[in-house]
Amino acid sequence: MRTRLLILIVFIGFWVNAHEIKNLKCENQINPSGITNARPHFSWTFVPGGNSTEQGGYRIMMATSIEKLQYPDIWDTGPTSTSETGPFEYCGEPLKSGQRIYWMVTAWGNNRGVTHSEPAWFEMVEIENPETPFKPHVFDQEQGVVKIALNGDDKGRVFEGIGGVSAGASTDLLYDYEDPTRSQILDFLFKPKFGAGFQHLKVEMGGGENSTCGSEPSHAITREELQHPVSRGYEFWLMKEAKNRNPDMILEYLPWSFPAYLKPNIFNKESAEYFVTFLDVAKKQWQLDIDWVAAAENENYTNRDWLVNDVRPLLNARGYENVKIQGPDDNSGDWKIFNEFENDKAFDDVVEAVGYHYVTGREFNENMVDGRGRPTTDKAKNTGKPLWASEDWSWTGKDWGGAGALNLARMYNKFYIRDRITKTLIWAPIGSIYETVTWDKAGAMKANSPWSGYYEVWPTIWATAHTTQFAEPHNWRYLDDACGLFDSDTYKGSAVALKETNGTDWSLILCTENKEEVEIKIAENLSNGKINIWKSNKEEQFIGQEPIYPKNGTIRLSLDAQSIYSLTTTSGQQKGSYEIPDKTSFPFPYKEGYEDRKVGDLPKYHSDQTGSFEIALKEDGTQCLKQIVPEQGYDWMRVYRRSNIKPNTLIGDATWKNYTCSVDVFIEGGDVEIGGRVTGSYLKGYRFQVTKEGDWKMLFDQETLQNGSIANFDPKMWHKLQLKFNGKAIEAFVDGQRVMKTSYQEKNGYVMLASSYDGNRFDNLEIIP
């Protein structure tokens, strides 16, 4: 058992702290064997240790075996941010008499650090008041032929769209592309009936702290700016470009981190003002009407009183009555918010759609679609409130199999068949971040070479097109009796049907695991004209097939295995294409004087990992780069992961090894750094740091290699810092004078500029052999 537990600890992938979890109890008993309650309760003891005085969050995992605790097949709460240790009621699918279930708890301290319990177990005997498990609709078959009946009078929920989440700095480098390639990429993402045709775009409301693959700037970094919010970064631009291509684009926003002045309570009147001023920037500076606000903190739930008493009234008072609230946008909870709605009409009225993340789980392989995840509850479905998978998938769109394109198409179908979810948003619509940075391979397509204009259109773009090019949000609805599985044991083979709400056109999206013979009966109240067919498989995607015509309202098709098909009575679908430029390496040697963009804009080819770096004016009227976040903000996932320490931005090529990098600096306060051979986030690489007082350090990651002081250092002057790498030899210079030489590990990586939380400035960046 100990060996298996160690495997689980490696899987979870956090560092271990000194606190402890013990006394795991089910119905207040340790490893009980006579549980009759269909919804047992669970608790444990958290023993403080290290820097943590109390629990900061927990995750409960339950499975049919110890091995399956890695991807729980019974229940997984996901990470939750609370100091409570139970008792918590079981919220998974109905348990069975005679089951032995294994469970364990992962807990985070309130000062980071993680601990994992030993596995525990409990056994069910004859259950009192057993519950009936959900069973998906399975199509009838006759002599091996799947029978699907389409009827326009069939009931079904309104289709709300397929979208993407631009957040966590995942769209960073797209902004640096030049037209026409930048416009081409945007067409693949947002142009209807051309590529993916994403119908909903949710963006990050940046807070200046790392939010996954980097940081995004805030529209109000200080309390003073809250009175005069500023358009920063690329998310407003991206929304505008999406809207230009599709005037019906649905827009939404959500924060990950928050500026320091909103600490420690991010759910108050001032934070409501912070949320609403984002709408002001969108409306007044970009002429954008945003449809939804996810009034929460990403994956950290929300606050009922804040929504009811602050956010909704302020939205109404400022003229945003039509902006709707979606929540809780959480990564855990089994749709528990519906329990709160039951006896709270005001809360129920304020939240107009409910979204949860990773509804199908995080088992990124070919069996992901059959993972339990966080299925919607009967209570959630019965309310009739819109249900969303408000962030899901998070994988590389390059793959067809595994967790890739075919799996995603299957998930789109599954979410309606199982969960009655009518909108799915994936992270990320595009991967536009440097290689080796966290989650650098995620995205439906790839564009991370703006200097060459090269990009890649991956199969996931076309897997998404199989839904988005065949149904429009709000104008189409599902036909429930034509939404189901080919085999009751798996969601890998499925079909969903939709029809035009005020018309007779229809579409049918089918995903296969095995070869299938399908007979489709079309009622007279639906179009019986020409049916266009589009097909995707591993070899080629989104290929138009020969149209077919019904005979006596019936068609019959032979479907290939592991394929996606879309049948429709509509027209105009296409597989868009452009000539893509050749890929080239980052320009080397490289010089950057920060003169080619406007003041306040993002610098070209830089990737902020923490903090915010933007173009600023110098005293002589020329331009430079400035770090503008004055104080460490409210860090996203502050309980679950380590901080990125200080503002820093990357530039260059992950393969660079032997080079000299230099930059001019003006130190307003604290310290600045130039780094080299940096491999990604978390300041991993060589860092030459100089303080305002003239003290210096050479660091490798967090290890100090050498340190000293610079004689007669003038803090009121600009200074030139330089690092030289040649094999294992490393040299550092200040104003042309060498202050350090050492020999250490030979590595490769980016150039990095870093700063304390001060308005420090940089200019004349140069990278040469």
Side-chain angles (χ1 to χ4, degrees):
M1 182 176 290
R2 167 62 67 176
T3 301
R4 292 171 176 169
L5 180 62
L6 288 174
I7 293 171
L8 289 171
I9 290 172
V10 170
F11 155 72
I12 293 169
F14 292 96
W15 70 103
V16 177
N17 207 36
H19 45 258
E20 183 182 0
I21 309 165
K22 61 182 185 179
N23 298 329
L24 272 65
K25 294 181 179 180
C26 171
E27 294 292 278
N28 208 32
Q29 303 172 64
I30 295 176
N31 297 339
S33 57
I35 301 300
T36 62
N37 185 357
R39 296 282 171 186
H41 294 77
F42 301 89
S43 62
W44 58 89
T45 300
F46 179 87
V47 181
N51 295 323
S52 292
T53 57
E54 64 179 5
Q55 179 179 285
Y58 74 86
R59 176 186 178 192
I60 301 173
M61 295 161 283
M62 293 186 185
T64 52
S65 69
I66 289 178
E67 290 80 8
K68 289 184 178 180
L69 284 170
Q70 179 175 349
Y71 298 114
D73 59 345
I74 297 292
W75 189 38
D76 182 359
T77 64
T80 62
S81 300
T82 178
S83 60
E84 297 177 20
T85 57
F88 299 109
E89 185 180 53
Y90 173 77
C91 293
E93 295 175 7
L95 299 172
K96 301 175 183 177
S97 299
Q99 271 186 311
R100 171 178 275 209
I101 297 170
Y102 296 87
W103 67 293
M104 65 181 292
V105 175
T106 293
W108 292 265
N110 62 318
N111 252 329
R112 296 189 170 93
V114 68
T115 297
H116 317 279
S117 75
E118 293 279 359
W121 55 267
F122 63 94
E123 288 184 345
M124 305 298 297
V125 292
E126 187 172 347
I127 298 173
E128 299 174 357
N129 303 314
E131 300 175 12
T132 302
F134 168 78
K135 292 184 179 179
H137 175 57
V138 180
F139 296 116
D140 292 336
Q141 294 195 23
E142 293 182 9
Q143 298 180 340
V145 179
V146 176
K147 303 285 187 173
I148 301 176
L150 304 181
N151 189 327
D153 293 332
D154 192 2
K155 64 180 181 179
R157 290 188 173 218
V158 173
F159 173 67
E160 295 187 271
I162 301 292
V165 182
S166 172
S170 59
T171 315
D172 189 12
L173 293 175
L174 175 59
Y175 185 71
D176 294 326
Y177 276 76
E178 296 181 357
D179 286 331
T181 52
R182 187 167 77 169
S183 183
Q184 294 169 8
I185 295 166
L186 293 163
D187 285 350
F188 280 113
L189 294 174
F190 302 120
K191 185 177 179 180
K193 293 190 175 180
F194 184 84
F198 288 113
Q199 298 154 327
H200 183 123
L201 174 61
K202 177 160 70 176
V203 303
E204 176 178 348
M205 180 171 67
E209 297 295 332
N210 186 282
S211 53
T212 299
C213 329
S215 61
E216 300 195 24
S218 170
H219 65 287
I221 290 174
T222 64
R223 186 168 277 114
E224 292 70 29
E225 279 194 350
L226 195 56
Q227 307 307 314
H228 304 282
V230 180
S231 173
R232 290 194 176 95
Y234 48 78
E235 299 293 14
F236 293 108
W237 163 81
L238 185 66
M239 287 190 286
K240 186 69 172 180
E241 293 291 342
K243 200 79 171 179
N244 287 344
R245 284 160 177 78
N246 180 2
D248 295 323
M249 180 67 59
I250 303 162
L251 299 177
E252 181 186 8
Y253 65 102
L254 169 70
W256 272 242
S257 65
F258 294 83
Y261 65 91
L262 294 174
K263 294 191 297 187
N265 177 20
I266 58 173
F267 297 128
N268 56 32
K269 290 186 180 299
E270 192 168 45
S271 67
E273 177 76 17
Y274 182 72
F275 272 73
V276 173
T277 54
F278 188 89
L279 292 168
D280 291 340
V281 174
K283 180 72 171 177
K284 297 173 183 177
Q285 300 184 42
W286 290 88
Q287 294 75 53
L288 286 169
D289 291 313
I290 294 180
D291 304 281
W292 292 87
V293 50
E297 183 191 14
N298 179 66
E299 297 180 353
N300 280 290
Y301 209 67
T302 186
N303 180 284
R304 180 266 181 208
D305 292 343
W306 177 67
L307 292 181
V308 172
N309 300 326
D310 296 325
V311 178
R312 184 72 265 171
L314 187 59
L315 286 169
N316 295 346
R318 296 277 278 273
Y320 299 116
E321 298 93 337
N322 293 329
V323 176
K324 299 178 181 180
I325 294 174
Q326 182 269 126
D329 243 356
D330 204 5
N331 192 30
S332 60
D334 290 274
W335 305 79
K336 287 182 182 178
I337 198 169
F338 285 95
N339 298 336
E340 301 176 50
F341 290 159
E342 275 189 309
N343 300 308
D344 191 339
K345 186 176 186 303
F347 193 19
D348 189 15
D349 289 345
V350 160
V351 180
E352 297 189 58
V354 170
Y356 278 83
H357 293 193
Y358 301 98
V359 176
T360 202
R362 300 296 292 264
E363 186 177 1
F364 293 130
N365 57 41
E366 67 278 3
N367 295 317
M368 183 181 180
V369 73
D370 288 324
R372 178 192 177 272
R374 299 179 182 88
T376 55
T377 60
D378 287 341
K379 185 180 295 183
K381 295 175 190 175
N382 292 337
T383 65
K385 192 182 289 286
L387 307 176
W388 298 359
S390 52
E391 181 186 314
D392 225 287
W393 186 61
S394 299
W395 199 243
T396 173
K398 187 175 185 177
D399 297 341
W400 172 258
L406 176 58
N407 169 74
L408 181 57
R410 290 166 168 171
M411 283 170 53
Y412 290 148
N413 282 7
K414 172 189 178 178
F415 284 155
Y416 188 75
I417 295 167
R418 186 188 73 170
D419 301 295
R420 291 302 184 251
I421 283 171
T422 54
K423 186 193 297 286
T424 300
L425 307 178
I426 68 166
W427 185 86
I430 188 165
S432 288
I433 56 178
Y434 276 128
E435 294 178 0
T436 75
V437 171
T438 306
W439 289 95
D440 65 320
K441 295 177 177 60
M445 64 179 291
K446 178 181 180 180
N448 64 352
S449 183
W451 42 88
S452 67
Y454 175 79
Y455 59 92
E456 297 178 16
V457 183
W458 284 342
T460 295
I461 290 292
W462 307 115
T464 298
H466 270 282
T467 298
T468 56
Q469 292 203 28
F470 299 88
E472 297 177 5
H474 310 306
N475 296 323
W476 284 64
R477 63 176 177 85
Y478 288 94
L479 302 176
D480 285 355
D481 289 342
C483 298
L485 307 181
F486 302 146
D487 183 333
S488 61
D489 291 333
T490 179
Y491 284 90
K492 291 179 179 178
S494 68
V496 298
L498 305 100
K499 75 170 290 286
E500 190 178 18
T501 303
N502 296 316
T504 60
D505 279 326
W506 56 269
S507 295
L508 183 67
I509 300 102
L510 307 103
C511 300
T512 65
E513 172 66 3
N514 305 303
K515 288 186 175 183
E516 302 284 355
E517 291 290 324
V518 178
E519 182 180 278
I520 302 164
K521 182 71 174 177
I522 308 160
E524 292 181 358
N525 55 17
L526 292 174
S527 174
N528 270 267
K530 183 176 72 171
I531 299 171
N532 294 307
I533 303 175
W534 293 77
K535 177 186 176 183
S536 292
N537 58 26
K538 184 177 181 179
E539 286 70 37
E540 52 184 3
Q541 291 84 49
F542 213 67
I543 305 301
Q545 311 294 296
E546 281 294 319
I548 59 175
Y549 294 84
K551 294 181 179 180
N552 299 319
T554 301
I555 59 173
R556 186 159 175 169
L557 292 172
S558 297
L559 306 180
D560 291 335
Q562 298 189 342
S563 301
I564 311 169
Y565 292 84
S566 291
L567 282 62
T568 188
T569 56
T570 65
S571 60
Q573 292 80 15
Q574 66 171 311
K575 183 174 183 177
S577 65
Y578 291 112
E579 184 176 344
I580 299 174
D582 293 335
K583 186 176 182 179
T584 61
S585 299
F586 191 96
F588 184 78
Y590 184 76
K591 293 184 178 181
E592 178 60 77
Y594 305 107
E595 300 291 343
D596 61 346
R597 289 191 175 173
K598 295 179 180 179
V599 171
D601 203 354
L602 298 171
K604 185 172 64 177
Y605 305 157
H606 288 57
S607 179
D608 297 353
Q609 297 302 297
T610 292
S612 297
F613 294 78
E614 70 177 30
I615 306 297
L617 277 176
K618 294 169 67 173
E619 296 83 350
D620 61 2
T622 61
Q623 295 181 175
C624 64
L625 184 67
K626 183 179 181 180
Q627 198 292 121
I628 60 172
V629 178
E631 183 181 354
Q632 185 171 15
Y634 196 84
D635 195 14
W636 177 64
M637 299 297 279
R638 57 207 159 274
V639 170
Y640 306 118
R641 65 174 193 171
R642 59 193 172 122
S643 169
N644 217 322
I645 304 174
K646 66 195 305 183
N648 67 98
T649 187
L650 302 178
I651 186 169
D653 193 310
T655 65
W656 284 350
K657 182 174 289 185
N658 295 320
Y659 57 88
T660 298
C661 55
S662 63
V663 70
D664 296 341
V665 299
F666 189 91
I667 310 175
E668 291 282 354
D671 60 69
V672 298
E673 297 181 10
I674 184 169
R677 294 180 173 175
V678 178
T679 56
S681 303
Y682 302 106
L683 305 174
K684 293 184 69 65
Y686 290 97
R687 304 161 47 204
F688 182 52
Q689 179 186 105
V690 178
T691 70
K692 186 175 178 65
E693 293 73 30
D695 298 324
W696 63 266
K697 289 182 182 179
M698 172 58 73
L699 302 105
F700 178 70
D701 296 349
Q702 304 305 311
E703 178 186 358
T704 299
L705 303 182
Q706 291 187 26
N707 59 71
S709 295
I710 302 166
N712 302 316
F713 186 81
D714 187 346
K716 298 180 182 180
M717 299 284 292
W718 282 82
H719 297 276
K720 183 175 184 177
L721 309 185
Q722 187 178 65
L723 271 178
K724 184 176 183 179
F725 300 97
N726 186 14
K728 293 185 177 181
I730 305 156
E731 298 176 85
F733 302 80
V734 177
D735 296 330
Q737 299 295 313
R738 190 173 72 188
V739 298
M740 186 226 67
K741 183 177 183 180
T742 189
S743 180
Y744 210 64
Q745 299 179 31
E746 187 173 355
K747 299 179 75 69
N748 51 270
Y750 299 100
V751 171
M752 180 198 73
L753 304 177
S755 168
S756 54
Y757 282 94
D758 296 283
N760 294 320
R761 290 177 282 170
F762 305 81
D763 200 6
N764 300 319
L765 174 66
E766 186 173 21
I767 307 161
I768 60 175

